[in-house]
């Protein structure tokens, strides 16, 4: 499942996630599950028909990512694998950055970041002119709704309804089950 929120030139996409890294860093072995949120460039396309036709919408290059993950083998609610990727190089995320404040209060931390688009852009190395004039205010206004969607997805992961491993009985050595 995923949610998408679009503003002028940026958007937020959120999805549940099940992940197994085939080459994990020490201490990061084993399956992870949770919710991924990305700040992305968005663009409204040209109408393909009459003025009543559906409009193409492009959800494009990521600027910033937050992974509210925990180890499948660990205790529920531990957020022991929760991290963010403050920068991207094209489509590739930079290294995982672990932040004690993020793990201690993931939804509070996320709300603060969504309400500070300029700070997120600065950390991401993105120019302010990459976003629209109203994007910061629109994102700040939508932050409670976005965080509520994240909370519902986390509840679905914890209930075993979302963020599930791939089907089958074979051992999973690498996997990424998610829209994002």
């Amino acid at each position: 499942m995923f949610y998408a929120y679009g503003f002028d030139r940026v958007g937020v996409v959120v999805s549940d996630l099940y992940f197994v890294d085939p080459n994990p860093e020490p201490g990061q072995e084993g399956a992870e599950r949770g919710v991924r949120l990305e700040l992305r460039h968005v663009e409204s396309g040209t109408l393909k028909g009459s003025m009543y036709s559906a409009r193409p919408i492009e959800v494009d290059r990521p600027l910033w990512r937050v992974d509210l993950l925990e180890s499948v083998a660990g205790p529920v609610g531990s957020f022991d694998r929760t991290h963010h990727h403050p920068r991207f190089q094209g489509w590739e995320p930079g290294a995982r950055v672990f932040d004690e404040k993020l793990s201690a209060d993931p939804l509070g931390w996320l709300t603060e970041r969504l309400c500070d688009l300029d700070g997120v852009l600065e950390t991401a190395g993105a120019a302010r002119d990459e976003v629209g004039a109203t994007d910061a205010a629109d994102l700040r206004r939508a932050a409670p709704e976005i965080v509520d969607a994240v909370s519902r997805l986390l509840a679905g992961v914890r209930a075993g309804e979302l963020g599930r491993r791939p089907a089958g009985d074979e051992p999973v050595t690498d996997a990424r089950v998610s829209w994002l």
Side-chain angles (χ1 to χ4, degrees), residues 13-15 17 34-38 65-68 176 180:
V13 287
V14 185
S15 176
L17 172 68
V35 174
R36 171 171 283 171
L37 177 143
E38 290 177 343
R65 175 188 288 169
V66 177
D67 287 323
L68 304 180
R176 179 171 156 182
L180 304 177

Side-chain angles (χ1 to χ4, degrees), residues 154-177:
L154 283 169
V157 169
R158 292 197 173 128
E161 300 161 356
L162 300 171
R164 294 185 303 246
R165 76 185 297 275
D169 297 329
E170 298 296 317
V172 179
T173 57
D174 63 35
R176 179 171 156 182
V177 181

Side-chain angles (χ1 to χ4, degrees), residues 83-97:
H83 61 276
H84 66 115
H85 299 270
R87 286 182 179 251
F88 274 77
Q89 188 72 355
W91 289 87
E92 291 295 328
R96 288 181 168 191
V97 174

Side-chain angles (χ1 to χ4, degrees), residues 31 33 70-78 80-81:
R33 65 178 170 215
E70 54 196 30
S71 169
V72 170
V76 172
S78 69
D80 61 335
R81 303 283 178 89

Side-chain angles (χ1 to χ4, degrees), residues 9 30 37 39 42 46 50 68 81 89-90 103 117 123 128 136 138 149 161 175:
R9 294 180 53 204
L37 177 143
L39 180 70
V42 296
T46 304
S50 72
L68 304 180
R81 303 283 178 89
Q89 188 72 355
S103 293
L117 180 59
T123 302
R128 183 67 175 96
D138 294 341
E161 300 161 356

